[in-house]
Amino acid sequence: GVRDVMFLYEDNRCSMTYMYEYPEYLKIKLPKKTARRYPAYELYLYGEGNYAEENKNLLLTGIPVLFLPGNAGSYKQVRSLGSIALRKAEDVDFKYHFNFFSVNFNEELVALYGGSLQRQTKFVHECIKVILKLYRDREFAPSSVAIVGHSMGGLVARALLTLKNFKPELINLLITQATPHVAPVMPLDRYLTDFYTAVNNHWILKAQDLRNLTTLSVAGGFRDYQVRSGLAFLPRLSQHDSALSVVSSAVPRAWASTDHLSIVWCKELILATIRALFDLIDENTRQITEDPKKRMSVLNHHFVRHPAKMFEENPEAFTDLTGAFTWITVKGSKWTYSVYNDSDGKYFAFPVASHRKSYSHVYCENSMLDTSSWIYGCMNTNSSVCLEAADLSWKAELLPSTKVVMLKLLDYPSLSHIVIQVPPAAGNKYTLACEFFKEDSRTVQLPVTHLFSFGLSSSKILLNSTGLFYNIQLQHFSQIYQAFKIYIDSHCQSLEERKPSVYRLHIPWSYEDSITVAKVPSLAEISAKLHIAQPHSDSSLPELNIYSSPNCQYEVILKTSLLQVLGQIVRFHAGAFPVYIVSNILLTYGGQLSTLRSTGQCSDFSLELVRTAKPYKVEPLISIVVFLQGFNWFREIWESLSLPEVDAAVLSSQDAWFPLVSLILFLFGTGIAYWSGVFFSTSLRLFSSLWLTLIRPTELQKDKLITPRRLCGMISLALVSWTTCGAFAVLIIYLQYSFKDICKSVDIFVTSVFHFQDPGHSKETSQNSSTHTVKGQSSVDSIPEAPQSPSKSKTLAEAVNSLKMHITILHLFTWIVLLNLPSLIYWFKNLRYNVRLDPDPCRSTAVILVCILEILMNSSTSEVKSSKLLKIAAKVPLPLSVAMLAFGRMHLYRVPHFVTFSLLLHVLCCFV
């Protein structure tokens, strides 16, 4: 599944954007108050060559566009947009042009640490004020700024509207690229989830107030494994008239999936964006139009359905068909015409009246991909010559190798003729074709194979193509965990050269179509899977549209792809992996405490994992709670107890959950926990060997739990946590704990070898032999069996038990360190600006952990065995594991709290 997400996607079909002149970034001077408040952030103006030179005095006359980079993103990523916009402005002799500004967020990791998102939002507000001041007293001074936000930059742009003193009219257009709007990819701290909640709630509650802001969200498709496209769709409740979400694979003239970074420089997407920006300009104000309807029609034209014509706001309803063209009447239901060096123009007229009874639709295609009109509808009932006609070219749709029109005859009751215009072609070679057909004859329903068929069974259909278009409706294909491979095998009767076939997977409830172009004959393979599950209110079916070659046979075979089903589970739930892994380790930890209580011995981690980490211990209870939350009475009781909503219930409401997911993730967590346990024991053996070569080992000694020195260390680390960064203190105590375990491992081995020697040998001989014996095998796993005195043997056994327990605690603690790592990286990168991380998501947790681990690293199982609290400490990890899976899947920052509570009980066992 991981392999499917990370590696098995379509090839990169994006072209690179290049600068024709050297890119320059002019730093804009900010007000002193702003610069002092946000020392790490900067604002730049993009330029190239002469244009950059002219703008050095900041006498700007263009249209301002502000680019916001995302997680660890650079302000220099604006260059693709800025450079292509500059070339486009040169094409229109600078009648209109755009000034691209970019914000430097110091490449902060805002997708993993949410503490700076509010700060970034406020800085962008200040930048907008500064930008608009630059245009003051100009003839066509802008009153608003267009924003393009990549990744988390798009979320920061949306968050502007949540600021108390922000005026919504300062933004009229927002374009986001691969922005996770719905939820964070990895919810590693409370500030991140709270920020998302505030932004999404504001957009839902104030949807009516946002009608003057036009928002376009472009997702990257399956190539983007960092932000799955389902997260990039604006929340459904805020889908009003001025919001649009599309996947890049469905964008006309791009038709390409992009990865998380290439969406910024993908030439085909950047061209679509710049064309849209120029079409949005109002000729009177020379700024982006204030008309929301025009803005939406422009975005639909460039990002949803392109008619292969230049955008026109109000195209003429009727056109005069003049010129010295020959009129030819075509009475048949099928027609094909190849054009090559035709010297005179022609009009082909198709009488509609004679076909209305037999056929329901007319379909026409044209392989000439210019932007001129080519198909018209005539209202004449008597004359065979049509002087005035409706331009039906606006009903066309551009595909990779052709432009097509499909009309339902019932929608045009007054239509008498359909007219195809063929202008004189000097050196051009292209083909036109039309056909009338009945919808039922071209629509076929294909039931998809069951999820548990594992690709062993298949659904097949054979199309003997006499026409140009077929529509295969895929029944029962509506959930995100379904994934299929569709094979289309095309055979033709003759070997003549044919146009390529176009296969489009059309998802009617969201703009996530994918298009495949294949030669004829050929065997094409298409992956069919969803970014968004079918809404409950929608009853439409996904479709496979085949734009076929006539007189060819198409065999369509559909199979369930187990690999891609696992890939979908990973794609939608990879963020929850740490919860399942820690849950498995916590169950093992509880099992070790239980074994210690019953037998007096601590079992090995891998053996205890196999014994205790069972999904039936945790999953049924969560499933029962999710089921009961469907009832109002239970929900009222749940809310009265002030309990948070179960994450699985939230995922179910988003159609991203099904019963087997949790089982698969739990088993995956068990596997990761097992192999990480193997890794830990191997690492311990390796480091112990290295440590033995560096120091002279000592015999085992019993440590005191608390000494004045350790108390000072504990207080020092607590102060470090409170005054600098909690994650930094956690990392220090983690390294200290690891070092302590290595020392204990060495001491255990040396003690065992020392007492294994014959008592008659001298001490020196004993030490020498121990040094030679231990090389390469210093670990608890390689303790030799030997006759020893009872007291020494007991001490050694206690030390071995303690080490096994410490390794499990260290294993748990490793995941706490990993989950807190982003805030540590953020703090380290910003150390020159501020010594204290503010806000710090793990400050209070770190203080508690420092105190707990400072005591635990010196503890032994002998103290714990006799504790009255051991029974409770052994049983608590099970309910904690259940709670972790219930409330931690979408809130990873809660995981350390559950682990900390369990370790706190362990510490109490050392004293009580």
Side-chain angles (χ1 to χ4, degrees):
V2 172
R3 179 171 167 265
D4 176 67
V5 172
M6 302 286 283
F7 305 108
L8 301 182
Y9 42 69
E10 67 177 67
D11 294 332
N12 183 20
R13 293 191 288 199
C14 282
S15 308
M16 176 61 79
T17 45
Y18 294 98
M19 284 77 249
Y20 289 90
E21 296 172 280
Y22 194 77
E24 293 183 41
Y25 305 90
L26 179 65
K27 190 175 176 181
I28 306 293
K29 191 175 181 182
L30 298 170
K32 286 182 181 178
K33 187 180 177 184
T34 305
R36 196 164 51 247
R37 191 181 297 171
Y38 309 101
Y41 301 158
E42 296 165 326
L43 176 65
Y44 288 89
L45 172 66
Y46 177 81
E48 290 178 22
N50 293 334
Y51 169 76
E53 285 295 320
E54 290 166 7
N55 286 335
K56 280 189 176 172
N57 54 11
L58 292 178
L59 298 172
L60 307 175
T61 56
I63 302 163
V65 180
L66 178 61
F67 176 78
L68 305 180
N71 179 57
S74 167
Y75 65 95
K76 294 181 179 181
Q77 289 173 313
V78 73
R79 61 185 177 268
S80 294
L81 283 164
S83 184
I84 288 182
L86 184 59
R87 303 280 86 78
K88 179 84 172 168
E90 287 174 353
D91 290 345
V92 294
D93 295 325
F94 282 90
K95 181 183 178 183
Y96 313 114
H97 71 279
F98 288 87
N99 301 127
F100 275 86
F101 296 85
S102 185
V103 173
N104 178 16
F105 284 136
N106 194 31
E107 300 186 8
E108 291 177 340
L109 295 171
V110 284
L112 304 174
Y113 168 72
S116 64
L117 282 167
Q118 198 66 31
R119 196 180 304 126
Q120 287 191 1
T121 307
K122 289 175 180 176
F123 179 72
V124 172
H125 185 198
E126 296 300 322
C127 287
I128 291 171
K129 292 178 191 174
V130 170
I131 289 166
L132 292 175
K133 275 183 185 177
L134 295 173
Y135 294 87
R136 194 187 290 164
D137 304 326
R138 301 286 186 273
E139 185 182 355
F140 298 102
S143 58
S144 60
V145 173
I147 295 182
V148 178
H150 172 240
S151 187
M152 293 299 285
L155 190 74
V156 168
R158 285 179 64 214
L160 284 167
L161 297 151
T162 64
L163 298 177
K164 287 180 181 177
N165 56 347
F166 184 79
K167 297 174 184 175
E169 56 270 20
L170 291 179
I171 314 174
N172 56 11
L173 177 68
L174 169 60
I175 298 173
T176 67
Q177 302 169 325
T179 296
H181 291 294
V182 178
V185 177
M186 293 288 283
L188 290 172
D189 66 58
R190 182 170 47 85
Y191 308 111
L192 195 56
T193 53
D194 288 352
F195 189 81
Y196 264 91
T197 304
V199 172
N200 285 332
N201 285 348
H202 182 88
W203 276 61
I204 290 165
L205 296 170
K206 306 282 184 180
Q208 296 301 318
D209 301 340
L210 302 176
R211 286 187 174 275
N212 288 326
L213 169 62
T214 303
T215 311
L216 168 70
S217 174
V218 183
F222 290 111
R223 275 186 66 86
D224 188 350
Y225 54 79
Q226 292 182 46
V227 176
R228 64 176 176 85
S229 295
L231 292 177
F233 277 67
L234 289 158
R236 283 175 193 165
L237 288 172
S238 70
Q239 287 285 359
H240 44 79
D241 296 340
S242 54
L244 179 66
S245 301
V246 298
V247 178
S248 61
S249 60
V251 174
R253 302 170 84 172
W255 299 299
S257 177
T258 64
D259 61 55
H260 197 62
L261 288 178
S262 69
I263 199 167
V264 173
W265 54 255
C266 178
K267 187 178 178 182
E268 289 76 8
L269 265 184
I270 300 298
L271 283 169
T273 307
I274 298 301
R275 287 178 189 130
L277 286 174
F278 274 87
D279 283 342
L280 285 166
I281 296 170
D282 186 325
E283 288 189 8
N284 298 320
T285 62
R286 299 209 173 183
Q287 295 295 323
I288 287 175
T289 179
E290 295 295 323
D291 181 3
K293 286 186 178 177
K294 182 185 174 181
R295 292 200 294 257
M296 279 308 292
S297 60
V298 168
L299 294 179
N300 274 294
H301 178 95
H302 289 283
F303 288 91
V304 178
R305 186 186 177 98
H306 198 295
K309 285 179 68 66
M310 304 295 280
F311 176 79
E312 290 179 34
E313 188 177 358
N314 297 304
E316 292 182 12
F318 292 94
T319 308
D320 293 331
L321 299 182
T322 55
F325 282 25
T326 308
W327 281 85
I328 301 168
T329 303
V330 180
K331 293 184 179 178
S333 62
K334 293 179 185 176
W335 168 82
T336 304
Y337 185 74
S338 295
V339 182
Y340 184 62
N341 275 343
D342 280 18
S343 56
D344 55 339
K346 297 179 181 69
Y347 286 122
F348 290 91
F350 299 81
V352 175
S354 59
H355 297 300
R356 284 189 185 276
K357 288 183 181 179
S358 307
Y359 305 107
S360 63
H361 287 70
V362 60
Y363 168 89
C364 294
E365 62 183 24
N366 183 353
S367 63
M368 181 66 165
L369 302 181
D370 62 352
T371 56
S372 57
S373 296
W374 61 284
I375 184 168
Y376 303 90
C378 194
M379 313 307 183
N380 292 0
T381 52
N382 303 321
S383 172
S384 60
V385 176
C386 183
L387 299 176
E388 190 178 59
D391 189 351
L392 297 176
S393 305
W394 292 103
K395 304 290 182 184
E397 184 174 12
L398 183 64
L399 294 172
S401 59
T402 185
K403 50 189 178 184
V404 302
V405 173
M406 188 166 325
L407 304 172
K408 190 176 181 180
L409 296 180
L410 283 174
D411 294 342
Y412 300 89
S414 58
L415 209 65
S416 64
H417 291 76
I418 286 171
V419 179
I420 302 286
Q421 180 184 8
V422 181
N428 289 328
K429 185 178 181 180
Y430 60 98
T431 305
L432 299 104
C434 282
E435 66 170 341
F436 290 85
F437 65 87
K438 205 168 187 176
E439 187 178 21
D440 296 346
S441 66
R442 300 297 173 84
T443 304
V444 187
Q445 290 193 333
L446 182 69
V448 298
T449 49
H450 196 272
L451 179 68
F452 297 113
S453 64
F454 302 120
L456 300 173
S457 63
S458 63
S459 289
K460 293 183 184 179
I461 202 158
L462 193 63
L463 304 173
N464 287 309
S465 168
T466 55
L468 303 169
F469 173 82
Y470 283 88
N471 181 24
I472 299 173
Q473 294 180 334
L474 305 175
Q475 293 177 303
H476 318 303
F477 180 26
S478 59
Q479 300 299 327
I480 57 100
Y481 53 80
Q482 293 175 294
F484 308 98
K485 279 187 178 178
I486 302 174
Y487 301 95
I488 305 175
D489 193 5
S490 56
H491 300 284
C492 299
Q493 293 174 0
S494 60
L495 297 173
E496 63 187 63
E497 187 182 343
R498 294 176 181 274
K499 68 179 180 67
S501 291
V502 177
Y503 310 128
R504 174 165 66 178
L505 183 66
H506 173 59
I507 311 299
W509 56 82
S510 64
Y511 299 116
E512 54 174 280
D513 295 6
S514 59
I515 290 179
T516 305
V517 181
K519 292 178 181 179
V520 180
S522 69
L523 176 64
E525 183 184 310
I526 299 169
S527 290
K529 47 197 175 188
L530 300 173
H531 295 293
I532 287 185
Q534 185 176 26
H536 297 294
S537 58
D538 197 305
S539 59
S540 54
L541 295 173
E543 297 170 349
L544 177 65
N545 299 328
I546 298 179
Y547 299 90
S548 57
S549 290
N551 303 318
C552 290
Q553 192 180 68
Y554 290 83
E555 185 182 23
V556 180
I557 302 168
L558 183 144
K559 291 182 178 181
T560 296
S561 172
L562 179 62
L563 186 69
Q564 293 187 50
V565 168
L566 293 173
Q568 286 291 83
I569 291 170
V570 171
R571 182 173 284 108
F572 278 78
H573 302 289
F577 282 168
V579 184
Y580 284 92
I581 297 164
V582 175
S583 175
N584 272 280
I585 300 169
L586 198 59
L587 285 171
T588 309
Y589 169 68
Q592 284 182 316
L593 288 176
S594 183
T595 309
L596 184 67
R597 180 174 165 268
S598 58
T599 65
Q601 299 293 317
C602 183
S603 55
D604 198 52
F605 176 83
S606 55
L607 295 173
E608 199 60 49
L609 178 74
V610 171
R611 192 179 72 83
T612 55
K614 304 292 183 186
Y616 58 77
K617 291 183 178 180
V618 292
E619 292 301 332
L621 187 61
I622 296 169
S623 299
I624 291 165
V625 171
V626 171
F627 172 73
L628 290 173
Q629 281 199 330
F631 300 99
N632 290 330
W633 61 269
F634 185 81
R635 209 178 303 123
E636 286 170 9
I637 295 169
W638 192 268
E639 287 169 4
S640 67
L641 295 170
S642 300
L643 289 168
E645 198 170 0
V646 176
D647 289 347
V650 178
L651 290 166
S652 293
S653 67
Q654 296 173 357
D655 297 313
W657 194 252
F658 69 106
L660 274 177
V661 161
S662 200
L663 176 63
I664 292 167
L665 292 176
F666 191 93
L667 296 175
F668 187 82
T670 309
I672 295 292
Y674 178 85
W675 286 108
S676 56
V678 171
F679 172 78
F680 262 85
S681 59
T682 308
S683 301
L684 190 68
R685 190 179 303 143
L686 178 67
F687 285 118
S688 300
S689 302
L690 291 171
W691 191 239
L692 263 175
T693 61
L694 297 173
I695 58 107
R696 186 175 180 178
T698 57
E699 283 196 57
L700 277 172
Q701 291 179 344
K702 189 169 174 62
D703 286 327
K704 289 182 180 178
L705 282 175
I706 298 176
T707 62
R709 185 180 173 185
R710 282 168 193 155
L711 196 63
C712 288
M714 192 189 299
I715 294 166
S716 302
L717 279 177
L719 283 171
V720 166
S721 172
W722 202 257
T723 56
T724 58
C725 170
F728 182 54
V730 167
L731 181 65
I732 292 170
I733 196 76
Y734 174 74
L735 294 173
Q736 195 178 334
Y737 202 117
S738 303
F739 180 69
K740 190 84 175 176
D741 278 2
I742 290 168
C743 291
K744 280 180 181 174
S745 175
V746 170
D747 291 348
I748 287 168
F749 190 82
V750 168
T751 302
S752 65
V753 171
F754 182 80
H755 290 285
F756 180 75
Q757 303 300 322
D758 186 88
H761 283 198
S762 70
K763 203 166 191 176
E764 187 183 346
T765 311
S766 174
Q767 283 179 352
N768 288 340
S769 63
S770 73
T771 308
H772 289 297
T773 309
V774 296
K775 283 186 180 178
Q777 50 163 330
S778 56
S779 143
V780 71
D781 299 330
S782 49
I783 295 169
E785 297 293 328
Q788 295 161 6
S789 65
S791 61
K792 293 289 182 182
S793 179
K794 188 179 178 182
T795 306
L796 189 61
E798 285 295 343
V800 170
N801 286 331
S802 299
L803 184 60
K804 286 177 180 177
M805 187 59 73
H806 284 305
I807 289 171
T808 305
I809 293 169
L810 191 66
H811 201 168
L812 270 175
F813 194 35
T814 302
W815 285 97
I816 296 178
V817 172
L818 290 174
L819 290 172
N820 288 320
L821 208 54
S823 61
L824 176 66
I825 295 167
Y826 179 90
W827 170 76
F828 188 73
K829 280 188 74 175
N830 289 273
L831 202 53
R832 56 183 167 155
Y833 304 112
N834 206 335
V835 173
R836 192 173 194 254
L837 179 64
D838 189 37
D840 189 344
C842 62
R843 182 172 289 133
S844 51
T845 312
V847 172
I848 298 166
L849 277 171
V850 161
C851 300
I852 288 171
L853 292 163
E854 193 70 57
I855 296 167
L856 273 184
M857 73 172 72
N858 302 300
S859 68
S860 71
T861 51
S862 58
E863 295 142 351
V864 177
K865 265 193 286 190
S866 56
S867 173
K868 295 173 183 177
L869 288 175
L870 183 57
K871 186 178 180 180
I872 298 169
K875 288 186 176 180
V876 159
L878 177 58
L880 285 179
S881 292
V882 175
M884 194 186 294
L885 292 182
F887 305 116
R889 275 187 271 236
M890 296 175 69
H891 305 83
L892 292 177
Y893 59 87
R894 290 173 180 166
V895 171
H897 302 159
F898 295 114
V899 175
T900 303
F901 184 75
S902 194
L903 294 178
L904 182 62
L905 284 174
H906 193 138
V907 168
L908 291 174
C909 286
C910 298
F911 296 101
V912 180

